[in-house]
mmCIF file of all heavy atoms in Angstrom:
data_model
loop_
_atom_site.group_PDB
_atom_site.id
_atom_site.type_symbol
_atom_site.label_atom_id
_atom_site.label_comp_id
_atom_site.label_asym_id
_atom_site.label_seq_id
_atom_site.Cartn_x
_atom_site.Cartn_y
_atom_site.Cartn_z
ATOM 1 N N ASP A 1 15.361 0.222 -8.006
ATOM 2 C CA ASP A 1 15.204 -0.750 -9.196
ATOM 3 C C ASP A 1 14.987 -2.120 -8.601
ATOM 4 O O ASP A 1 15.148 -2.424 -7.335
ATOM 5 C CB ASP A 1 16.278 -0.677 -10.207
ATOM 6 C CG ASP A 1 17.700 -1.036 -9.487
ATOM 7 O OD1 ASP A 1 17.713 -1.911 -8.607
ATOM 8 O OD2 ASP A 1 18.684 -0.292 -9.868
ATOM 9 N N SER A 2 14.663 -3.072 -9.438
ATOM 10 C CA SER A 2 14.376 -4.474 -8.998
ATOM 11 C C SER A 2 15.574 -5.084 -8.324
ATOM 12 O O SER A 2 15.327 -5.758 -7.276
ATOM 13 C CB SER A 2 13.936 -5.367 -10.107
ATOM 14 O OG SER A 2 12.782 -4.836 -10.733
ATOM 15 N N GLY A 3 16.795 -4.930 -8.840
ATOM 16 C CA GLY A 3 17.860 -5.578 -8.185
ATOM 17 C C GLY A 3 18.186 -5.003 -6.759
ATOM 18 O O GLY A 3 18.380 -5.731 -5.812
ATOM 19 N N THR A 4 18.083 -3.704 -6.695
ATOM 20 C CA THR A 4 18.274 -3.081 -5.364
ATOM 21 C C THR A 4 17.203 -3.451 -4.398
ATOM 22 O O THR A 4 17.433 -3.633 -3.210
ATOM 23 C CB THR A 4 18.366 -1.527 -5.505
ATOM 24 O OG1 THR A 4 19.369 -1.163 -6.477
ATOM 25 C CG2 THR A 4 18.662 -0.840 -4.158
ATOM 26 N N TYR A 5 15.944 -3.515 -4.864
ATOM 27 C CA TYR A 5 14.856 -3.930 -4.062
ATOM 28 C C TYR A 5 15.072 -5.209 -3.430
ATOM 29 O O TYR A 5 14.869 -5.391 -2.253
ATOM 30 C CB TYR A 5 13.560 -3.897 -4.878
ATOM 31 C CG TYR A 5 12.382 -4.334 -4.286
ATOM 32 C CD1 TYR A 5 11.729 -3.474 -3.279
ATOM 33 C CD2 TYR A 5 11.680 -5.516 -4.572
ATOM 34 C CE1 TYR A 5 10.684 -3.931 -2.631
ATOM 35 C CE2 TYR A 5 10.494 -5.901 -3.985
ATOM 36 C CZ TYR A 5 10.006 -5.117 -2.892
ATOM 37 O OH TYR A 5 8.830 -5.444 -2.225
ATOM 38 N N ALA A 6 15.535 -6.229 -4.185
ATOM 39 C CA ALA A 6 15.814 -7.610 -3.769
ATOM 40 C C ALA A 6 16.954 -7.509 -2.707
ATOM 41 O O ALA A 6 16.868 -8.284 -1.649
ATOM 42 C CB ALA A 6 16.181 -8.532 -4.862
ATOM 43 N N GLU A 7 18.015 -6.765 -3.005
ATOM 44 C CA GLU A 7 19.105 -6.637 -2.048
ATOM 45 C C GLU A 7 18.696 -6.095 -0.716
ATOM 46 O O GLU A 7 18.943 -6.605 0.424
ATOM 47 C CB GLU A 7 20.212 -5.835 -2.586
ATOM 48 C CG GLU A 7 20.940 -6.516 -3.770
ATOM 49 C CD GLU A 7 22.021 -5.470 -4.389
ATOM 50 O OE1 GLU A 7 22.244 -4.385 -3.803
ATOM 51 O OE2 GLU A 7 22.547 -5.848 -5.417
ATOM 52 N N VAL A 8 17.875 -5.043 -0.826
ATOM 53 C CA VAL A 8 17.423 -4.346 0.468
ATOM 54 C C VAL A 8 16.514 -5.265 1.363
ATOM 55 O O VAL A 8 16.645 -5.503 2.521
ATOM 56 C CB VAL A 8 16.722 -3.074 0.126
ATOM 57 C CG1 VAL A 8 16.038 -2.490 1.394
ATOM 58 C CG2 VAL A 8 17.653 -2.038 -0.474
ATOM 59 N N ARG A 9 15.543 -5.951 0.616
ATOM 60 C CA ARG A 9 14.647 -6.850 1.170
ATOM 61 C C ARG A 9 15.409 -7.917 1.851
ATOM 62 O O ARG A 9 15.157 -8.330 3.109
ATOM 63 C CB ARG A 9 13.740 -7.429 0.215
ATOM 64 C CG ARG A 9 12.456 -6.655 -0.002
ATOM 65 C CD ARG A 9 11.458 -7.556 -0.875
ATOM 66 N NE ARG A 9 11.231 -8.842 -0.380
ATOM 67 C CZ ARG A 9 10.628 -9.855 -1.012
ATOM 68 N NH1 ARG A 9 10.262 -9.655 -2.290
ATOM 69 N NH2 ARG A 9 10.361 -10.974 -0.411
ATOM 70 N N ASN A 10 16.432 -8.649 1.203
ATOM 71 C CA ASN A 10 17.213 -9.675 1.816
ATOM 72 C C ASN A 10 18.098 -9.254 3.015
ATOM 73 O O ASN A 10 18.304 -9.956 3.950
ATOM 74 C CB ASN A 10 17.957 -10.346 0.764
ATOM 75 C CG ASN A 10 17.240 -11.096 -0.286
ATOM 76 O OD1 ASN A 10 16.076 -11.496 -0.037
ATOM 77 N ND2 ASN A 10 17.716 -11.235 -1.472
ATOM 78 N N SER A 11 18.552 -7.961 2.924
ATOM 79 C CA SER A 11 19.412 -7.546 4.054
ATOM 80 C C SER A 11 18.623 -7.160 5.279
ATOM 81 O O SER A 11 19.145 -7.208 6.402
ATOM 82 C CB SER A 11 20.133 -6.244 3.528
ATOM 83 O OG SER A 11 19.236 -5.072 3.520
ATOM 84 N N GLY A 12 17.261 -6.839 5.073
ATOM 85 C CA GLY A 12 16.550 -6.554 6.326
ATOM 86 C C GLY A 12 16.749 -5.071 6.809
ATOM 87 O O GLY A 12 16.223 -4.610 7.819
ATOM 88 N N ARG A 13 17.552 -4.290 6.180
ATOM 89 C CA ARG A 13 17.969 -2.977 6.568
ATOM 90 C C ARG A 13 17.080 -1.885 5.948
ATOM 91 O O ARG A 13 17.548 -1.200 4.960
ATOM 92 C CB ARG A 13 19.416 -2.688 6.261
ATOM 93 C CG ARG A 13 20.427 -3.665 7.049
ATOM 94 C CD ARG A 13 21.841 -3.352 6.622
ATOM 95 N NE ARG A 13 22.218 -1.997 7.188
ATOM 96 C CZ ARG A 13 22.591 -1.851 8.377
ATOM 97 N NH1 ARG A 13 22.597 -2.805 9.335
ATOM 98 N NH2 ARG A 13 22.997 -0.614 8.799
ATOM 99 N N PHE A 14 15.858 -1.901 6.386
ATOM 100 C CA PHE A 14 14.826 -0.940 5.926
ATOM 101 C C PHE A 14 13.803 -0.742 7.044
ATOM 102 O O PHE A 14 13.582 -1.555 7.891
ATOM 103 C CB PHE A 14 14.197 -1.322 4.606
ATOM 104 C CG PHE A 14 13.500 -2.724 4.734
ATOM 105 C CD1 PHE A 14 12.097 -2.746 5.262
ATOM 106 C CD2 PHE A 14 14.105 -3.937 4.570
ATOM 107 C CE1 PHE A 14 11.474 -4.002 5.455
ATOM 108 C CE2 PHE A 14 13.446 -5.112 4.609
ATOM 109 C CZ PHE A 14 12.053 -5.210 5.129
ATOM 110 N N GLY A 15 13.136 0.444 6.907
ATOM 111 C CA GLY A 15 12.064 0.719 7.912
ATOM 112 C C GLY A 15 10.739 0.162 7.541
ATOM 113 O O GLY A 15 9.990 -0.276 8.390
ATOM 114 N N ALA A 16 10.414 0.351 6.269
ATOM 115 C CA ALA A 16 9.109 -0.165 5.839
ATOM 116 C C ALA A 16 9.112 -0.384 4.359
ATOM 117 O O ALA A 16 10.004 0.117 3.591
ATOM 118 C CB ALA A 16 8.013 0.784 6.049
ATOM 119 N N ILE A 17 8.215 -1.275 3.837
ATOM 120 C CA ILE A 17 8.123 -1.602 2.482
ATOM 121 C C ILE A 17 6.703 -1.376 2.032
ATOM 122 O O ILE A 17 5.736 -1.797 2.763
ATOM 123 C CB ILE A 17 8.502 -2.986 2.080
ATOM 124 C CG1 ILE A 17 10.074 -3.166 2.021
ATOM 125 C CG2 ILE A 17 7.941 -3.544 0.778
ATOM 126 C CD1 ILE A 17 10.656 -4.578 1.734
ATOM 127 N N ALA A 18 6.455 -0.742 1.003
ATOM 128 C CA ALA A 18 5.051 -0.454 0.454
ATOM 129 C C ALA A 18 4.823 -1.396 -0.729
ATOM 130 O O ALA A 18 5.565 -1.202 -1.691
ATOM 131 C CB ALA A 18 4.996 0.959 0.114
ATOM 132 N N ASN A 19 3.768 -2.297 -0.629
ATOM 133 C CA ASN A 19 3.490 -3.176 -1.705
ATOM 134 C C ASN A 19 2.219 -3.807 -1.541
ATOM 135 O O ASN A 19 1.506 -3.635 -0.474
ATOM 136 C CB ASN A 19 4.648 -4.222 -1.781
ATOM 137 C CG ASN A 19 4.858 -4.652 -3.223
ATOM 138 O OD1 ASN A 19 4.048 -4.501 -4.114
ATOM 139 N ND2 ASN A 19 6.053 -5.380 -3.473
ATOM 140 N N SER A 20 1.750 -4.476 -2.606
ATOM 141 C CA SER A 20 0.572 -5.302 -2.446
ATOM 142 C C SER A 20 0.866 -6.549 -3.273
ATOM 143 O O SER A 20 1.918 -6.809 -3.928
ATOM 144 C CB SER A 20 -0.597 -4.594 -3.282
ATOM 145 O OG SER A 20 -0.328 -4.356 -4.479
ATOM 146 N N ASN A 21 -0.060 -7.573 -3.214
ATOM 147 C CA ASN A 21 0.106 -8.803 -3.995
ATOM 148 C C ASN A 21 -1.198 -9.321 -4.355
ATOM 149 O O ASN A 21 -2.084 -9.482 -3.608
ATOM 150 C CB ASN A 21 0.950 -9.861 -3.109
ATOM 151 C CG ASN A 21 1.364 -11.004 -3.896
ATOM 152 O OD1 ASN A 21 1.954 -10.856 -4.896
ATOM 153 N ND2 ASN A 21 0.969 -12.281 -3.433
ATOM 154 N N ILE A 22 -1.345 -9.734 -5.628
ATOM 155 C CA ILE A 22 -2.616 -10.298 -6.109
ATOM 156 C C ILE A 22 -2.471 -11.798 -6.077
ATOM 157 O O ILE A 22 -1.785 -12.430 -6.765
ATOM 158 C CB ILE A 22 -2.877 -9.800 -7.604
ATOM 159 C CG1 ILE A 22 -2.931 -8.292 -7.731
ATOM 160 C CG2 ILE A 22 -4.059 -10.439 -8.184
ATOM 161 C CD1 ILE A 22 -3.098 -7.793 -9.152
ATOM 162 N N GLU A 23 -3.269 -12.304 -5.099
ATOM 163 C CA GLU A 23 -3.346 -13.828 -4.919
ATOM 164 C C GLU A 23 -4.725 -14.094 -4.553
ATOM 165 O O GLU A 23 -5.693 -13.343 -4.531
ATOM 166 C CB GLU A 23 -2.346 -14.220 -3.792
ATOM 167 C CG GLU A 23 -1.131 -14.907 -4.348
ATOM 168 C CD GLU A 23 -1.488 -16.187 -5.134
ATOM 169 O OE1 GLU A 23 -2.524 -16.698 -5.023
ATOM 170 O OE2 GLU A 23 -0.436 -16.637 -5.795
ATOM 171 N N THR A 24 -4.940 -15.369 -4.116
ATOM 172 C CA THR A 24 -6.322 -15.773 -3.758
ATOM 173 C C THR A 24 -6.218 -16.479 -2.406
ATOM 174 O O THR A 24 -5.308 -17.234 -2.072
ATOM 175 C CB THR A 24 -6.923 -16.778 -4.760
ATOM 176 O OG1 THR A 24 -6.058 -17.771 -4.958
ATOM 177 C CG2 THR A 24 -7.157 -16.087 -6.126
ATOM 178 N N ASP A 25 -7.237 -16.255 -1.579
ATOM 179 C CA ASP A 25 -7.454 -17.034 -0.357
ATOM 180 C C ASP A 25 -6.260 -16.902 0.597
ATOM 181 O O ASP A 25 -5.597 -15.971 0.663
ATOM 182 C CB ASP A 25 -7.937 -18.420 -0.684
ATOM 183 C CG ASP A 25 -8.643 -19.169 0.465
ATOM 184 O OD1 ASP A 25 -9.333 -18.484 1.132
ATOM 185 O OD2 ASP A 25 -8.413 -20.279 0.661
ATOM 186 N N GLY A 26 -6.063 -18.028 1.412
ATOM 187 C CA GLY A 26 -5.117 -18.003 2.389
ATOM 188 C C GLY A 26 -3.679 -18.123 1.953
ATOM 189 O O GLY A 26 -2.795 -17.927 2.738
ATOM 190 N N ILE A 27 -3.405 -18.410 0.732
ATOM 191 C CA ILE A 27 -2.089 -18.558 0.236
ATOM 192 C C ILE A 27 -1.212 -17.226 0.388
ATOM 193 O O ILE A 27 -0.091 -17.273 0.839
ATOM 194 C CB ILE A 27 -2.027 -18.918 -1.337
ATOM 195 C CG1 ILE A 27 -2.712 -20.303 -1.463
ATOM 196 C CG2 ILE A 27 -0.631 -19.001 -1.794
ATOM 197 C CD1 ILE A 27 -2.936 -20.595 -2.953
ATOM 198 N N ASP A 28 -1.970 -16.166 0.162
ATOM 199 C CA ASP A 28 -1.220 -14.898 0.262
ATOM 200 C C ASP A 28 -0.870 -14.537 1.825
ATOM 201 O O ASP A 28 0.136 -13.940 2.114
ATOM 202 C CB ASP A 28 -2.112 -13.771 -0.313
ATOM 203 C CG ASP A 28 -1.276 -12.545 -0.725
ATOM 204 O OD1 ASP A 28 -0.243 -12.678 -1.309
ATOM 205 O OD2 ASP A 28 -1.828 -11.465 -0.445
ATOM 206 N N ILE A 29 -1.858 -14.999 2.641
ATOM 207 C CA ILE A 29 -1.604 -14.659 4.039
ATOM 208 C C ILE A 29 -0.378 -15.508 4.646
ATOM 209 O O ILE A 29 0.443 -15.015 5.295
ATOM 210 C CB ILE A 29 -2.864 -14.997 4.858
ATOM 211 C CG1 ILE A 29 -4.036 -14.177 4.326
ATOM 212 C CG2 ILE A 29 -2.664 -14.774 6.340
ATOM 213 C CD1 ILE A 29 -5.403 -14.413 4.969
ATOM 214 N N GLU A 30 -0.294 -16.744 4.191
ATOM 215 C CA GLU A 30 0.822 -17.507 4.509
ATOM 216 C C GLU A 30 2.224 -16.849 4.052
ATOM 217 O O GLU A 30 3.118 -16.745 4.745
ATOM 218 C CB GLU A 30 0.745 -18.991 3.795
ATOM 219 C CG GLU A 30 -0.307 -19.788 4.305
ATOM 220 C CD GLU A 30 0.118 -20.662 5.414
ATOM 221 O OE1 GLU A 30 1.350 -20.835 5.628
ATOM 222 O OE2 GLU A 30 -0.649 -21.241 6.272
ATOM 223 N N ASN A 31 2.175 -16.461 2.815
ATOM 224 C CA ASN A 31 3.363 -15.767 2.279
ATOM 225 C C ASN A 31 3.833 -14.537 3.088
ATOM 226 O O ASN A 31 5.033 -14.308 3.166
ATOM 227 C CB ASN A 31 3.236 -15.416 0.758
ATOM 228 C CG ASN A 31 3.184 -16.789 -0.120
ATOM 229 O OD1 ASN A 31 3.654 -17.805 0.259
ATOM 230 N ND2 ASN A 31 2.567 -16.635 -1.252
ATOM 231 N N HIS A 32 2.864 -13.812 3.481
ATOM 232 C CA HIS A 32 3.162 -12.603 4.280
ATOM 233 C C HIS A 32 3.496 -12.739 5.656
ATOM 234 O O HIS A 32 4.297 -11.974 6.260
ATOM 235 C CB HIS A 32 1.932 -11.623 4.209
ATOM 236 C CG HIS A 32 1.780 -10.856 2.962
ATOM 237 N ND1 HIS A 32 2.749 -9.763 2.681
ATOM 238 C CD2 HIS A 32 0.925 -10.673 1.998
ATOM 239 C CE1 HIS A 32 2.439 -9.111 1.523
ATOM 240 N NE2 HIS A 32 1.258 -9.654 1.091
ATOM 241 N N TYR A 33 2.986 -13.848 6.398
ATOM 242 C CA TYR A 33 3.198 -13.843 7.769
ATOM 243 C C TYR A 33 3.860 -15.037 8.331
ATOM 244 O O TYR A 33 4.116 -15.126 9.509
ATOM 245 C CB TYR A 33 1.707 -13.664 8.413
ATOM 246 C CG TYR A 33 1.249 -12.332 8.190
ATOM 247 C CD1 TYR A 33 0.246 -12.041 7.176
ATOM 248 C CD2 TYR A 33 1.692 -11.234 8.919
ATOM 249 C CE1 TYR A 33 -0.214 -10.748 6.940
ATOM 250 C CE2 TYR A 33 1.272 -9.889 8.654
ATOM 251 C CZ TYR A 33 0.327 -9.673 7.647
ATOM 252 O OH TYR A 33 -0.203 -8.404 7.387
ATOM 253 N N ARG A 34 4.162 -16.063 7.434
ATOM 254 C CA ARG A 34 5.084 -17.101 7.860
ATOM 255 C C ARG A 34 6.413 -16.482 8.108
ATOM 256 O O ARG A 34 6.840 -15.620 7.310
ATOM 257 C CB ARG A 34 5.178 -18.228 6.924
ATOM 258 C CG ARG A 34 3.983 -19.136 6.789
ATOM 259 C CD ARG A 34 3.959 -20.146 8.028
ATOM 260 N NE ARG A 34 2.860 -21.011 7.898
ATOM 261 C CZ ARG A 34 2.402 -21.750 8.871
ATOM 262 N NH1 ARG A 34 3.118 -21.686 10.128
ATOM 263 N NH2 ARG A 34 1.478 -22.650 8.706
ATOM 264 N N PRO A 35 7.286 -17.106 9.050
ATOM 265 C CA PRO A 35 8.689 -16.601 9.209
ATOM 266 C C PRO A 35 9.362 -16.751 7.805
ATOM 267 O O PRO A 35 9.178 -17.689 7.088
ATOM 268 C CB PRO A 35 9.257 -17.564 10.289
ATOM 269 C CG PRO A 35 8.034 -17.922 11.046
ATOM 270 C CD PRO A 35 6.913 -18.022 10.083
ATOM 271 N N ILE A 36 10.336 -15.931 7.624
ATOM 272 C CA ILE A 36 11.051 -15.823 6.325
ATOM 273 C C ILE A 36 11.728 -17.227 6.102
ATOM 274 O O ILE A 36 11.808 -17.795 5.045
ATOM 275 C CB ILE A 36 12.172 -14.778 6.252
ATOM 276 C CG1 ILE A 36 11.338 -13.420 6.232
ATOM 277 C CG2 ILE A 36 13.039 -14.953 5.029
ATOM 278 C CD1 ILE A 36 12.211 -12.152 6.263
ATOM 279 N N SER A 37 12.278 -17.823 7.236
ATOM 280 C CA SER A 37 13.006 -19.096 7.119
ATOM 281 C C SER A 37 12.059 -20.267 6.990
ATOM 282 O O SER A 37 12.463 -21.393 6.717
ATOM 283 C CB SER A 37 13.760 -19.325 8.531
ATOM 284 O OG SER A 37 12.907 -19.355 9.661
ATOM 285 N N GLN A 38 10.676 -20.066 6.965
ATOM 286 C CA GLN A 38 9.745 -21.050 6.841
ATOM 287 C C GLN A 38 8.763 -20.873 5.702
ATOM 288 O O GLN A 38 7.682 -21.329 5.708
ATOM 289 C CB GLN A 38 8.900 -21.292 8.211
ATOM 290 C CG GLN A 38 9.758 -21.633 9.428
ATOM 291 C CD GLN A 38 8.940 -21.693 10.727
ATOM 292 O OE1 GLN A 38 7.712 -22.020 10.662
ATOM 293 N NE2 GLN A 38 9.574 -21.445 11.831
ATOM 294 N N GLY A 39 9.275 -20.095 4.708
ATOM 295 C CA GLY A 39 8.475 -19.956 3.595
ATOM 296 C C GLY A 39 7.770 -18.662 3.357
ATOM 297 O O GLY A 39 7.067 -18.445 2.436
ATOM 298 N N GLY A 40 8.138 -17.710 4.209
ATOM 299 C CA GLY A 40 7.327 -16.404 4.129
ATOM 300 C C GLY A 40 8.011 -15.496 3.082
ATOM 301 O O GLY A 40 8.745 -14.584 3.386
ATOM 302 N N ALA A 41 7.684 -15.873 1.765
ATOM 303 C CA ALA A 41 8.487 -15.262 0.732
ATOM 304 C C ALA A 41 8.278 -13.718 0.633
ATOM 305 O O ALA A 41 9.210 -13.006 0.125
ATOM 306 C CB ALA A 41 7.918 -15.864 -0.604
ATOM 307 N N ILE A 42 7.130 -13.230 1.060
ATOM 308 C CA ILE A 42 6.893 -11.748 1.094
ATOM 309 C C ILE A 42 6.577 -11.202 2.430
ATOM 310 O O ILE A 42 5.610 -10.424 2.591
ATOM 311 C CB ILE A 42 5.869 -11.333 0.044
ATOM 312 C CG1 ILE A 42 4.553 -12.191 0.243
ATOM 313 C CG2 ILE A 42 6.286 -11.482 -1.428
ATOM 314 C CD1 ILE A 42 3.323 -11.873 -0.755
ATOM 315 N N ASN A 43 7.165 -11.899 3.413
ATOM 316 C CA ASN A 43 7.109 -11.335 4.804
ATOM 317 C C ASN A 43 7.840 -10.068 4.912
ATOM 318 O O ASN A 43 8.954 -10.058 5.492
ATOM 319 C CB ASN A 43 7.654 -12.475 5.805
ATOM 320 C CG ASN A 43 7.387 -12.064 7.263
ATOM 321 O OD1 ASN A 43 7.110 -11.031 7.574
ATOM 322 N ND2 ASN A 43 7.619 -13.072 8.098
ATOM 323 N N TYR A 44 7.328 -8.911 4.453
ATOM 324 C CA TYR A 44 7.944 -7.638 4.476
ATOM 325 C C TYR A 44 8.283 -7.170 5.912
ATOM 326 O O TYR A 44 9.158 -6.424 6.148
ATOM 327 C CB TYR A 44 7.170 -6.596 3.721
ATOM 328 C CG TYR A 44 6.883 -7.007 2.307
ATOM 329 C CD1 TYR A 44 5.577 -7.009 1.809
ATOM 330 C CD2 TYR A 44 8.022 -7.391 1.469
ATOM 331 C CE1 TYR A 44 5.373 -7.346 0.455
ATOM 332 C CE2 TYR A 44 7.693 -7.670 0.127
ATOM 333 C CZ TYR A 44 6.400 -7.644 -0.435
ATOM 334 O OH TYR A 44 6.091 -8.069 -1.660
ATOM 335 N N SER A 45 7.343 -7.511 6.886
ATOM 336 C CA SER A 45 7.535 -6.937 8.298
ATOM 337 C C SER A 45 8.560 -7.839 8.982
ATOM 338 O O SER A 45 8.965 -7.498 10.107
ATOM 339 C CB SER A 45 6.183 -7.029 8.984
ATOM 340 O OG SER A 45 5.721 -8.308 9.031
ATOM 341 N N ARG A 46 8.932 -9.000 8.445
ATOM 342 C CA ARG A 46 9.944 -9.875 9.048
ATOM 343 C C ARG A 46 9.537 -10.375 10.364
ATOM 344 O O ARG A 46 10.345 -10.657 11.281
ATOM 345 C CB ARG A 46 11.278 -9.238 9.123
ATOM 346 C CG ARG A 46 11.812 -8.493 7.801
ATOM 347 C CD ARG A 46 13.176 -7.989 7.762
ATOM 348 N NE ARG A 46 14.246 -8.912 8.094
ATOM 349 C CZ ARG A 46 14.763 -9.622 7.086
ATOM 350 N NH1 ARG A 46 14.397 -9.439 5.798
ATOM 351 N NH2 ARG A 46 15.825 -10.379 7.258
ATOM 352 N N VAL A 47 8.204 -10.660 10.528
ATOM 353 C CA VAL A 47 7.698 -11.040 11.808
ATOM 354 C C VAL A 47 7.789 -12.656 11.984
ATOM 355 O O VAL A 47 7.805 -13.392 10.916
ATOM 356 C CB VAL A 47 6.183 -10.752 11.867
ATOM 357 C CG1 VAL A 47 5.250 -11.451 10.922
ATOM 358 C CG2 VAL A 47 5.581 -10.953 13.346
ATOM 359 N N ASN A 48 8.102 -13.059 13.192
ATOM 360 C CA ASN A 48 8.135 -14.367 13.540
ATOM 361 C C ASN A 48 7.487 -14.524 14.986
ATOM 362 O O ASN A 48 8.208 -14.428 15.946
ATOM 363 C CB ASN A 48 9.571 -14.980 13.582
ATOM 364 C CG ASN A 48 9.587 -16.339 13.862
ATOM 365 O OD1 ASN A 48 8.578 -17.072 14.147
ATOM 366 N ND2 ASN A 48 10.722 -17.119 13.871
#
């Protein structure tokens, strides 16, 4: 559920997340690949 999803994402204790996001242009790329501490709101891979 949504609450558990937020908890798991924040904890980082998962192997993979399956999702998509409807956005436009480079904004979405920033959100996915910026470090979480620097605004990567949907950085599911937790890359830095």
Side-chain angles (χ1 to χ4, degrees):
D1 59 38
S2 297
T4 304
Y5 179 68
E7 290 176 8
V8 172
R9 272 187 56 194
N10 292 335
S11 73
R13 298 179 65 83
F14 59 86
I17 281 180
N19 213 339
S20 61
N21 193 53
I22 300 176
E23 255 301 347
T24 53
D25 200 36
I27 299 172
D28 203 43
I29 300 175
E30 289 271 341
N31 289 339
H32 272 295
Y33 294 100
R34 282 287 183 194
I36 294 174
S37 61
Q38 299 176 28
I42 48 178
N43 183 349
Y44 302 126
S45 62
R46 305 182 72 83
V47 66
N48 184 355

